[in-house]
Amino acid sequence: RPGGFPGKFKIDERDEPGADAFFVSRGEHELSHLALYHSIGPSIENARKADILIIGNSRAQLGFDEQVWVDSAEALGLRIFNLSVGHADSAQFARDIMRKHDLRPKVMIANGGDFLYYGGYSDWAKEVVDMSRWGAIKAYFEYSFAWNVERQLHRYLPYLDYFNRWRYGWIHYRSSQTGWWRNTKWPGARYPVKIGMQEGSYKRALFAAAELQSELRDWDTLMVMTIVPYRSVLTGHLSFLGEQLGVPYVLPSFEGMETADGSHLTAESATRISRAIWSEFIALPE
């Protein structure tokens, strides 16, 4: 690296994720896909007991405050589980998990933009689905073991980076009891949330959302739509799909919201938006 010494990178985990949490990602392959699709560990058994399931991508994980949602549900005698995964996967992966493991919640909260409804598998999800159960278990424990070795090693020997490469600002673990990511490292930046330009057509989302809603009705599951804000959030699909399909949706004010990396909310904003979304969600006539 011209003009200086190599940068020094050390794994810095600031919080304890809890006894029920397992490592899932530091920006590469996410072990959530393996644990959920192939039912590795107790996550799916806990998801099966839930009255409310949340589906979506990393914004649903980092934008919904676990304590707010779990405590609010428990106060009403309800159980909630966050089925969301990273890698920008759509509802297709979540629906296939629900089919495979016979998950039948009373309510499914779908969080995301219009892509959530018509998008397909991420490359990682395709790889996971094609794995045998033995192959998935092997991959899961290999990734977990590699992470534990690395984090132990870096306590004593920092990684020297001669090229000043960008590094993912989060370290995620996942609760097998509630499904929520628990972060032991997060970025410290602040970017205000803004409303972006709306799309001109949501035809692809309409067809896919109608198909999803129809299947959920067969399961006697109510679908509710919402969206966690990001730096240039688009929300037009919610009112469009709500009007066309009669699907209830929740869209509180995003005023004063901030992200930590341009895409995912800060912990403070996640707490605020979670309280606002829950208040509107639980007041829905449906």
Short mmCIF file of all heavy atoms in Angstrom, two decimals, residues 34-89:
data_model
loop_
_atom_site.label_atom_id
_atom_site.label_comp_id
_atom_site.label_asym_id
_atom_site.label_seq_id
_atom_site.Cartn_x
_atom_site.Cartn_y
_atom_site.Cartn_z
N LEU A 34 -28.84 -22.58 5.76
CA LEU A 34 -28.59 -23.98 6.07
C LEU A 34 -29.43 -24.45 7.25
O LEU A 34 -30.07 -25.51 7.21
CB LEU A 34 -27.11 -24.19 6.37
CG LEU A 34 -26.13 -23.98 5.21
CD1 LEU A 34 -24.71 -23.88 5.74
CD2 LEU A 34 -26.25 -25.12 4.20
N ALA A 35 -29.44 -23.65 8.32
CA ALA A 35 -30.14 -24.03 9.54
C ALA A 35 -31.64 -24.14 9.32
O ALA A 35 -32.29 -25.04 9.88
CB ALA A 35 -29.83 -23.03 10.66
N LEU A 36 -32.20 -23.23 8.52
CA LEU A 36 -33.65 -23.22 8.33
C LEU A 36 -34.11 -24.23 7.28
O LEU A 36 -35.02 -25.03 7.52
CB LEU A 36 -34.11 -21.81 7.93
CG LEU A 36 -33.90 -20.72 8.98
CD1 LEU A 36 -34.24 -19.36 8.40
CD2 LEU A 36 -34.73 -20.99 10.23
N TYR A 37 -33.50 -24.21 6.11
CA TYR A 37 -33.98 -25.09 5.04
C TYR A 37 -33.75 -26.56 5.38
O TYR A 37 -34.61 -27.41 5.11
CB TYR A 37 -33.29 -24.74 3.72
CG TYR A 37 -33.92 -25.42 2.54
CD1 TYR A 37 -35.06 -24.90 1.95
CD2 TYR A 37 -33.41 -26.62 2.02
CE1 TYR A 37 -35.67 -25.53 0.87
CE2 TYR A 37 -33.99 -27.25 0.95
CZ TYR A 37 -35.13 -26.71 0.38
OH TYR A 37 -35.74 -27.35 -0.69
N HIS A 38 -32.62 -26.87 6.01
CA HIS A 38 -32.30 -28.26 6.33
C HIS A 38 -32.55 -28.60 7.80
O HIS A 38 -32.16 -29.67 8.26
CB HIS A 38 -30.85 -28.56 5.95
CG HIS A 38 -30.61 -28.54 4.47
ND1 HIS A 38 -30.95 -29.60 3.65
CD2 HIS A 38 -30.09 -27.57 3.66
CE1 HIS A 38 -30.63 -29.31 2.40
NE2 HIS A 38 -30.12 -28.08 2.37
N SER A 39 -33.20 -27.69 8.53
CA SER A 39 -33.60 -27.91 9.93
C SER A 39 -32.43 -28.41 10.78
O SER A 39 -32.49 -29.47 11.40
CB SER A 39 -34.76 -28.92 10.00
OG SER A 39 -35.29 -28.96 11.32
N ILE A 40 -31.36 -27.62 10.79
CA ILE A 40 -30.20 -27.93 11.63
C ILE A 40 -30.36 -27.15 12.94
O ILE A 40 -30.42 -25.93 12.92
CB ILE A 40 -28.90 -27.54 10.92
CG1 ILE A 40 -28.77 -28.30 9.59
CG2 ILE A 40 -27.70 -27.82 11.81
CD1 ILE A 40 -27.63 -27.84 8.72
N GLY A 41 -30.44 -27.85 14.05
CA GLY A 41 -30.68 -27.19 15.32
C GLY A 41 -32.17 -26.99 15.58
O GLY A 41 -33.02 -27.43 14.80
N PRO A 42 -32.54 -26.29 16.67
CA PRO A 42 -33.95 -26.17 17.08
C PRO A 42 -34.72 -25.02 16.44
O PRO A 42 -35.87 -24.77 16.82
CB PRO A 42 -33.82 -25.96 18.59
CG PRO A 42 -32.53 -25.24 18.77
CD PRO A 42 -31.62 -25.76 17.70
N SER A 43 -34.14 -24.29 15.49
CA SER A 43 -34.81 -23.11 14.94
C SER A 43 -36.17 -23.43 14.34
O SER A 43 -37.17 -22.74 14.61
CB SER A 43 -33.92 -22.44 13.87
OG SER A 43 -32.74 -21.91 14.44
N ILE A 44 -36.25 -24.45 13.51
CA ILE A 44 -37.52 -24.76 12.84
C ILE A 44 -38.58 -25.21 13.84
O ILE A 44 -39.77 -24.86 13.70
CB ILE A 44 -37.30 -25.83 11.74
CG1 ILE A 44 -36.59 -25.19 10.54
CG2 ILE A 44 -38.62 -26.45 11.31
CD1 ILE A 44 -37.37 -24.06 9.87
N GLU A 45 -38.20 -25.96 14.86
CA GLU A 45 -39.18 -26.35 15.87
C GLU A 45 -39.77 -25.14 16.56
O GLU A 45 -40.96 -25.09 16.86
CB GLU A 45 -38.53 -27.29 16.89
CG GLU A 45 -38.36 -28.71 16.40
CD GLU A 45 -39.69 -29.31 15.92
OE1 GLU A 45 -40.69 -29.21 16.66
OE2 GLU A 45 -39.72 -29.84 14.80
N ASN A 46 -38.94 -24.14 16.82
CA ASN A 46 -39.45 -22.91 17.43
C ASN A 46 -40.29 -22.11 16.44
O ASN A 46 -41.30 -21.49 16.83
CB ASN A 46 -38.28 -22.06 17.95
CG ASN A 46 -37.67 -22.65 19.21
OD1 ASN A 46 -38.38 -23.07 20.11
ND2 ASN A 46 -36.35 -22.70 19.27
N ALA A 47 -39.92 -22.11 15.17
CA ALA A 47 -40.73 -21.43 14.16
C ALA A 47 -42.09 -22.08 14.02
O ALA A 47 -43.11 -21.40 13.79
CB ALA A 47 -40.00 -21.45 12.82
N ARG A 48 -42.16 -23.39 14.18
CA ARG A 48 -43.43 -24.11 14.05
C ARG A 48 -44.41 -23.73 15.15
O ARG A 48 -45.63 -23.78 14.98
CB ARG A 48 -43.16 -25.61 14.06
CG ARG A 48 -44.40 -26.46 13.77
CD ARG A 48 -44.06 -27.92 13.62
NE ARG A 48 -43.38 -28.18 12.36
CZ ARG A 48 -42.13 -28.60 12.24
NH1 ARG A 48 -41.39 -28.81 13.33
NH2 ARG A 48 -41.60 -28.82 11.06
N LYS A 49 -43.89 -23.30 16.30
CA LYS A 49 -44.75 -22.93 17.43
C LYS A 49 -45.24 -21.49 17.35
O LYS A 49 -46.07 -21.07 18.16
CB LYS A 49 -43.98 -23.13 18.74
CG LYS A 49 -43.55 -24.56 19.00
CD LYS A 49 -42.63 -24.63 20.21
CE LYS A 49 -42.08 -26.03 20.43
NZ LYS A 49 -41.10 -26.06 21.54
N ALA A 50 -44.74 -20.73 16.39
CA ALA A 50 -45.03 -19.30 16.35
C ALA A 50 -46.42 -19.01 15.80
O ALA A 50 -46.87 -19.65 14.85
CB ALA A 50 -43.98 -18.58 15.51
N ASP A 51 -47.08 -18.02 16.39
CA ASP A 51 -48.35 -17.50 15.87
C ASP A 51 -48.10 -16.52 14.74
O ASP A 51 -48.92 -16.37 13.84
CB ASP A 51 -49.13 -16.79 16.98
CG ASP A 51 -49.39 -17.69 18.17
OD1 ASP A 51 -50.16 -18.65 18.02
OD2 ASP A 51 -48.81 -17.43 19.25
N ILE A 52 -46.97 -15.81 14.81
CA ILE A 52 -46.61 -14.79 13.82
C ILE A 52 -45.23 -15.10 13.28
O ILE A 52 -44.28 -15.28 14.04
CB ILE A 52 -46.61 -13.38 14.45
CG1 ILE A 52 -47.96 -13.06 15.09
CG2 ILE A 52 -46.23 -12.32 13.42
CD1 ILE A 52 -47.94 -11.82 15.98
N LEU A 53 -45.11 -15.17 11.96
CA LEU A 53 -43.81 -15.31 11.30
C LEU A 53 -43.50 -14.04 10.53
O LEU A 53 -44.39 -13.47 9.88
CB LEU A 53 -43.80 -16.48 10.33
CG LEU A 53 -43.66 -17.90 10.88
CD1 LEU A 53 -43.62 -18.90 9.72
CD2 LEU A 53 -42.43 -18.05 11.74
N ILE A 54 -42.25 -13.60 10.59
CA ILE A 54 -41.78 -12.48 9.78
C ILE A 54 -40.91 -13.04 8.67
O ILE A 54 -40.03 -13.86 8.92
CB ILE A 54 -40.96 -11.49 10.62
CG1 ILE A 54 -41.83 -10.87 11.72
CG2 ILE A 54 -40.37 -10.39 9.74
CD1 ILE A 54 -41.05 -10.00 12.70
N ILE A 55 -41.17 -12.61 7.43
CA ILE A 55 -40.28 -12.98 6.33
C ILE A 55 -39.70 -11.72 5.71
O ILE A 55 -40.28 -10.64 5.79
CB ILE A 55 -40.99 -13.84 5.25
CG1 ILE A 55 -42.00 -13.01 4.47
CG2 ILE A 55 -41.64 -15.07 5.87
CD1 ILE A 55 -42.44 -13.66 3.17
N GLY A 56 -38.55 -11.86 5.07
CA GLY A 56 -37.90 -10.72 4.45
C GLY A 56 -36.41 -10.97 4.35
O GLY A 56 -35.95 -12.11 4.45
N ASN A 57 -35.67 -9.89 4.16
CA ASN A 57 -34.22 -10.03 4.03
C ASN A 57 -33.53 -9.42 5.25
O ASN A 57 -34.12 -9.32 6.32
CB ASN A 57 -33.75 -9.39 2.71
CG ASN A 57 -34.22 -7.96 2.57
OD1 ASN A 57 -34.41 -7.24 3.56
ND2 ASN A 57 -34.42 -7.52 1.35
N SER A 58 -32.27 -9.00 5.08
CA SER A 58 -31.50 -8.49 6.21
C SER A 58 -32.12 -7.23 6.82
O SER A 58 -31.91 -6.94 8.00
CB SER A 58 -30.06 -8.21 5.78
OG SER A 58 -30.01 -7.31 4.69
N ARG A 59 -32.87 -6.46 6.03
CA ARG A 59 -33.52 -5.27 6.59
C ARG A 59 -34.58 -5.63 7.62
O ARG A 59 -34.82 -4.89 8.57
CB ARG A 59 -34.12 -4.43 5.47
CG ARG A 59 -33.06 -3.76 4.60
CD ARG A 59 -33.66 -2.97 3.47
NE ARG A 59 -32.61 -2.42 2.63
CZ ARG A 59 -32.70 -2.26 1.32
NH1 ARG A 59 -33.83 -2.61 0.69
NH2 ARG A 59 -31.70 -1.75 0.62
N ALA A 60 -35.23 -6.78 7.42
CA ALA A 60 -36.21 -7.24 8.41
C ALA A 60 -35.51 -7.74 9.67
O ALA A 60 -36.08 -7.70 10.76
CB ALA A 60 -37.08 -8.34 7.82
N GLN A 61 -34.30 -8.24 9.51
CA GLN A 61 -33.54 -8.70 10.68
C GLN A 61 -33.00 -7.52 11.49
O GLN A 61 -33.10 -7.51 12.72
CB GLN A 61 -32.38 -9.59 10.24
CG GLN A 61 -32.77 -11.01 9.92
CD GLN A 61 -33.15 -11.79 11.18
OE1 GLN A 61 -33.08 -11.31 12.29
NE2 GLN A 61 -33.59 -13.03 10.98
N LEU A 62 -32.43 -6.54 10.80
CA LEU A 62 -31.77 -5.43 11.48
C LEU A 62 -32.72 -4.26 11.75
O LEU A 62 -32.40 -3.38 12.55
CB LEU A 62 -30.58 -4.95 10.64
CG LEU A 62 -29.50 -6.02 10.43
CD1 LEU A 62 -28.48 -5.57 9.40
CD2 LEU A 62 -28.81 -6.36 11.74
N GLY A 63 -33.87 -4.25 11.10
CA GLY A 63 -34.83 -3.15 11.28
C GLY A 63 -35.94 -3.43 12.27
O GLY A 63 -36.60 -2.51 12.74
N PHE A 64 -36.18 -4.70 12.58
CA PHE A 64 -37.16 -5.07 13.61
C PHE A 64 -36.41 -5.35 14.91
O PHE A 64 -35.58 -6.25 14.96
CB PHE A 64 -37.96 -6.31 13.19
CG PHE A 64 -38.96 -6.07 12.11
CD1 PHE A 64 -39.09 -6.96 11.05
CD2 PHE A 64 -39.80 -4.96 12.13
CE1 PHE A 64 -40.02 -6.75 10.05
CE2 PHE A 64 -40.73 -4.74 11.13
CZ PHE A 64 -40.84 -5.64 10.09
N ASP A 65 -36.73 -4.62 15.93
CA ASP A 65 -36.08 -4.78 17.23
C ASP A 65 -36.64 -6.02 17.92
O ASP A 65 -37.85 -6.12 18.17
CB ASP A 65 -36.32 -3.53 18.08
CG ASP A 65 -35.61 -3.58 19.42
OD1 ASP A 65 -36.01 -4.40 20.27
OD2 ASP A 65 -34.69 -2.77 19.63
N GLU A 66 -35.77 -6.98 18.22
CA GLU A 66 -36.22 -8.24 18.81
C GLU A 66 -37.00 -8.04 20.10
O GLU A 66 -38.07 -8.63 20.30
CB GLU A 66 -35.01 -9.15 19.07
CG GLU A 66 -35.38 -10.47 19.72
CD GLU A 66 -34.17 -11.32 20.06
OE1 GLU A 66 -33.03 -10.82 19.97
OE2 GLU A 66 -34.36 -12.50 20.42
N GLN A 67 -36.48 -7.22 20.98
CA GLN A 67 -37.13 -7.04 22.28
C GLN A 67 -38.52 -6.43 22.14
O GLN A 67 -39.47 -6.86 22.79
CB GLN A 67 -36.27 -6.16 23.20
CG GLN A 67 -36.80 -6.08 24.62
CD GLN A 67 -35.83 -5.39 25.56
OE1 GLN A 67 -34.76 -4.94 25.15
NE2 GLN A 67 -36.20 -5.30 26.82
N VAL A 68 -38.64 -5.42 21.26
CA VAL A 68 -39.94 -4.79 21.05
C VAL A 68 -40.96 -5.80 20.55
O VAL A 68 -42.08 -5.92 21.08
CB VAL A 68 -39.83 -3.61 20.06
CG1 VAL A 68 -41.22 -3.10 19.66
CG2 VAL A 68 -39.01 -2.47 20.68
N TRP A 69 -40.60 -6.56 19.51
CA TRP A 69 -41.55 -7.49 18.90
C TRP A 69 -41.86 -8.68 19.80
O TRP A 69 -43.03 -9.05 19.96
CB TRP A 69 -40.99 -7.96 17.55
CG TRP A 69 -41.15 -6.93 16.49
CD1 TRP A 69 -40.30 -5.89 16.21
CD2 TRP A 69 -42.25 -6.79 15.58
NE1 TRP A 69 -40.79 -5.13 15.19
CE2 TRP A 69 -41.97 -5.66 14.78
CE3 TRP A 69 -43.42 -7.50 15.36
CZ2 TRP A 69 -42.85 -5.23 13.77
CZ3 TRP A 69 -44.28 -7.09 14.35
CH2 TRP A 69 -43.99 -5.97 13.58
N VAL A 70 -40.85 -9.28 20.35
CA VAL A 70 -41.07 -10.48 21.18
C VAL A 70 -41.83 -10.12 22.45
O VAL A 70 -42.80 -10.80 22.82
CB VAL A 70 -39.73 -11.15 21.52
CG1 VAL A 70 -39.93 -12.27 22.54
CG2 VAL A 70 -39.08 -11.71 20.25
N ASP A 71 -41.44 -9.03 23.12
CA ASP A 71 -42.13 -8.64 24.35
C ASP A 71 -43.57 -8.22 24.08
O ASP A 71 -44.49 -8.54 24.86
CB ASP A 71 -41.38 -7.49 25.04
CG ASP A 71 -40.06 -7.93 25.64
OD1 ASP A 71 -39.78 -9.15 25.62
OD2 ASP A 71 -39.31 -7.06 26.13
N SER A 72 -43.80 -7.50 22.98
CA SER A 72 -45.17 -7.06 22.64
C SER A 72 -46.07 -8.25 22.34
O SER A 72 -47.24 -8.27 22.73
CB SER A 72 -45.14 -6.10 21.45
OG SER A 72 -44.40 -4.94 21.75
N ALA A 73 -45.52 -9.24 21.63
CA ALA A 73 -46.30 -10.43 21.32
C ALA A 73 -46.58 -11.25 22.58
O ALA A 73 -47.72 -11.69 22.81
CB ALA A 73 -45.55 -11.29 20.29
N GLU A 74 -45.56 -11.43 23.41
CA GLU A 74 -45.74 -12.21 24.64
C GLU A 74 -46.76 -11.58 25.57
O GLU A 74 -47.48 -12.30 26.29
CB GLU A 74 -44.39 -12.37 25.35
CG GLU A 74 -43.46 -13.37 24.69
CD GLU A 74 -42.16 -13.54 25.44
OE1 GLU A 74 -41.90 -12.75 26.38
OE2 GLU A 74 -41.40 -14.48 25.10
N ALA A 75 -46.85 -10.26 25.57
CA ALA A 75 -47.82 -9.58 26.43
C ALA A 75 -49.26 -9.94 26.05
O ALA A 75 -50.18 -9.82 26.88
CB ALA A 75 -47.62 -8.06 26.34
N LEU A 76 -49.45 -10.40 24.81
CA LEU A 76 -50.77 -10.82 24.34
C LEU A 76 -50.89 -12.34 24.26
O LEU A 76 -51.85 -12.86 23.68
CB LEU A 76 -51.05 -10.21 22.96
CG LEU A 76 -51.05 -8.68 22.91
CD1 LEU A 76 -51.21 -8.20 21.48
CD2 LEU A 76 -52.16 -8.12 23.78
N GLY A 77 -49.92 -13.04 24.81
CA GLY A 77 -49.95 -14.50 24.78
C GLY A 77 -49.62 -15.09 23.43
O GLY A 77 -50.01 -16.22 23.12
N LEU A 78 -48.85 -14.34 22.60
CA LEU A 78 -48.50 -14.78 21.26
C LEU A 78 -47.02 -15.07 21.15
O LEU A 78 -46.21 -14.47 21.87
CB LEU A 78 -48.89 -13.72 20.23
CG LEU A 78 -50.36 -13.33 20.16
CD1 LEU A 78 -50.56 -12.14 19.24
CD2 LEU A 78 -51.20 -14.51 19.69
N ARG A 79 -46.67 -15.95 20.23
CA ARG A 79 -45.26 -16.24 19.96
C ARG A 79 -44.93 -15.75 18.56
O ARG A 79 -45.74 -15.88 17.63
CB ARG A 79 -44.97 -17.74 20.07
CG ARG A 79 -45.19 -18.29 21.46
CD ARG A 79 -44.70 -19.71 21.60
NE ARG A 79 -43.26 -19.80 21.39
CZ ARG A 79 -42.54 -20.88 21.71
NH1 ARG A 79 -43.13 -21.94 22.25
NH2 ARG A 79 -41.24 -20.90 21.50
N ILE A 80 -43.72 -15.21 18.40
CA ILE A 80 -43.30 -14.65 17.12
C ILE A 80 -41.92 -15.18 16.77
O ILE A 80 -41.09 -15.43 17.66
CB ILE A 80 -43.32 -13.10 17.20
CG1 ILE A 80 -43.13 -12.49 15.81
CG2 ILE A 80 -42.30 -12.57 18.18
CD1 ILE A 80 -43.47 -11.01 15.76
N PHE A 81 -41.69 -15.39 15.48
CA PHE A 81 -40.41 -15.91 15.02
C PHE A 81 -40.02 -15.17 13.74
O PHE A 81 -40.85 -14.99 12.84
CB PHE A 81 -40.49 -17.41 14.74
CG PHE A 81 -39.15 -18.07 14.51
CD1 PHE A 81 -38.44 -18.62 15.57
CD2 PHE A 81 -38.60 -18.12 13.24
CE1 PHE A 81 -37.20 -19.22 15.37
CE2 PHE A 81 -37.36 -18.72 13.02
CZ PHE A 81 -36.67 -19.28 14.09
N ASN A 82 -38.76 -14.75 13.67
CA ASN A 82 -38.26 -14.02 12.50
C ASN A 82 -37.59 -15.00 11.55
O ASN A 82 -36.49 -15.49 11.82
CB ASN A 82 -37.28 -12.94 12.94
CG ASN A 82 -37.05 -11.90 11.86
OD1 ASN A 82 -37.22 -12.17 10.68
ND2 ASN A 82 -36.63 -10.71 12.27
N LEU A 83 -38.25 -15.28 10.43
CA LEU A 83 -37.76 -16.25 9.45
C LEU A 83 -36.88 -15.58 8.38
O LEU A 83 -36.42 -16.24 7.46
CB LEU A 83 -38.94 -16.96 8.78
CG LEU A 83 -38.72 -18.34 8.16
CD1 LEU A 83 -38.40 -19.37 9.22
CD2 LEU A 83 -39.96 -18.76 7.37
N SER A 84 -36.66 -14.29 8.51
CA SER A 84 -35.92 -13.54 7.49
C SER A 84 -34.47 -14.00 7.38
O SER A 84 -33.85 -14.39 8.38
CB SER A 84 -35.94 -12.04 7.83
OG SER A 84 -37.25 -11.58 7.99
N VAL A 85 -33.94 -13.93 6.15
CA VAL A 85 -32.55 -14.29 5.89
C VAL A 85 -31.90 -13.19 5.06
O VAL A 85 -32.57 -12.33 4.49
CB VAL A 85 -32.44 -15.63 5.14
CG1 VAL A 85 -33.00 -16.77 5.98
CG2 VAL A 85 -33.15 -15.56 3.79
N GLY A 86 -30.58 -13.22 4.98
CA GLY A 86 -29.85 -12.24 4.20
C GLY A 86 -29.72 -12.62 2.74
O GLY A 86 -30.50 -13.42 2.22
N HIS A 87 -28.75 -12.04 2.07
CA HIS A 87 -28.47 -12.29 0.65
C HIS A 87 -29.59 -11.80 -0.26
O HIS A 87 -29.75 -12.29 -1.39
CB HIS A 87 -28.20 -13.77 0.39
CG HIS A 87 -26.88 -14.24 0.90
ND1 HIS A 87 -25.72 -14.19 0.16
CD2 HIS A 87 -26.51 -14.73 2.12
CE1 HIS A 87 -24.71 -14.66 0.87
NE2 HIS A 87 -25.15 -14.98 2.07
N ALA A 88 -30.41 -10.85 0.21
CA ALA A 88 -31.49 -10.26 -0.60
C ALA A 88 -32.43 -11.32 -1.16
O ALA A 88 -32.96 -11.17 -2.26
CB ALA A 88 -30.91 -9.40 -1.73
N ASP A 89 -32.66 -12.39 -0.41
CA ASP A 89 -33.58 -13.41 -0.89
C ASP A 89 -35.02 -12.93 -0.81
O ASP A 89 -35.40 -12.13 0.05
CB ASP A 89 -33.41 -14.70 -0.08
CG ASP A 89 -32.46 -15.66 -0.76
OD1 ASP A 89 -32.74 -16.03 -1.91
OD2 ASP A 89 -31.44 -16.02 -0.16
#
